[in-house]
Amino acid sequence: KKVRVKLANFEKKSQFIIRKERAKRLLMLGILVEKAEINHQPIETILGYLLEYKNISTKQKKSYLVDGKKLFLKKSRAEKTKEVEFSYMTYLEKKERAHKLIGIGALFEIADLDKKDKGALVGYLIQFKKRDLHEKKGYNEAGN
């Protein structure tokens, strides 16, 4: 009986650790969407746009990788301002933000992009703003 209880406790702890690791990974993916400044878009639109990533060529992915790396290296004045804003957020506001970003990060899992290069993904996400309204509606329909 003691062994069963220990095994059950071990199982709970390992599941907790797995959940926490997944949450960290999804949060990091959600932050990519936030960096691209498209986190205000409907989830369906973001998902449709992510699904479209599979249809682009390797050459385009390489150019997105270059754009993404430039964004990672560049620390703009707006990002410094965001850091200050985050320091003034309450615990509940930070928790709510993390919850939203984890939900957005889960879209990468749905689109099977969670293991792709983050530089190329953020470079691709930056391009969303350049899309016209018709394309964005198409992404929303695909996401639905």
Side-chain angles (χ1 to χ4, degrees), residues 14-26:
S14 63
Q15 291 292 55
F16 178 77
I17 291 169
I18 290 169
R19 275 185 58 233
K20 286 295 181 185
E21 289 300 315
R22 180 173 178 257
K24 284 181 195 177
R25 191 170 35 81
L26 295 180

Side-chain angles (χ1 to χ4, degrees), residues 59-74:
K59 185 178 178 182
Q60 284 177 310
K61 288 179 185 177
K62 286 181 181 177
S63 73
Y64 291 145
L65 178 62
V66 171
D67 294 342
K69 287 189 176 184
K70 284 179 188 175
L71 181 73
F72 281 137
L73 295 174
K74 184 176 104 178

Side-chain angles (χ1 to χ4, degrees), residues 4-21:
R4 277 193 230 128
V5 170
K6 281 185 180 182
L7 283 173
N9 286 338
F10 179 74
E11 181 69 26
K12 279 184 185 179
K13 285 180 185 177
S14 63
Q15 291 292 55
F16 178 77
I17 291 169
I18 290 169
R19 275 185 58 233
K20 286 295 181 185
E21 289 300 315

Side-chain angles (χ1 to χ4, degrees), residues 5-123:
V5 170
K6 281 185 180 182
L7 283 173
N9 286 338
F10 179 74
E11 181 69 26
K12 279 184 185 179
K13 285 180 185 177
S14 63
Q15 291 292 55
F16 178 77
I17 291 169
I18 290 169
R19 275 185 58 233
K20 286 295 181 185
E21 289 300 315
R22 180 173 178 257
K24 284 181 195 177
R25 191 170 35 81
L26 295 180
L27 178 62
M28 296 310 286
L29 291 168
I31 288 172
L32 296 180
V33 174
E34 188 178 66
K35 273 192 168 293
E37 298 176 353
I38 61 171
N39 54 323
H40 62 281
Q41 294 291 327
I43 287 182
E44 296 84 5
T45 305
I46 296 171
L47 177 59
Y49 189 61
L50 289 174
L51 290 170
E52 190 67 28
Y53 184 81
K54 293 179 179 182
N55 299 333
I56 62 174
S57 69
T58 307
K59 185 178 178 182
Q60 284 177 310
K61 288 179 185 177
K62 286 181 181 177
S63 73
Y64 291 145
L65 178 62
V66 171
D67 294 342
K69 287 189 176 184
K70 284 179 188 175
L71 181 73
F72 281 137
L73 295 174
K74 184 176 104 178
K75 191 166 190 172
S76 68
R77 185 178 285 165
E79 284 183 17
K80 290 177 185 174
T81 306
K82 271 187 184 178
E83 287 177 11
V84 171
E85 288 174 12
F86 293 148
S87 66
Y88 288 108
M89 291 174 88
T90 66
Y91 170 77
L92 291 176
E93 289 171 333
K94 288 179 184 177
K95 187 175 178 179
E96 184 179 319
R97 174 182 170 264
H99 181 75
K100 180 180 179 186
L101 291 178
I102 289 169
I104 291 172
L107 299 176
F108 286 84
E109 272 187 349
I110 293 168
D112 197 30
L113 299 176
D114 56 324
K115 297 191 176 42
K116 301 290 183 193
D117 187 277
K118 287 162 186 48
L121 287 172
V122 77

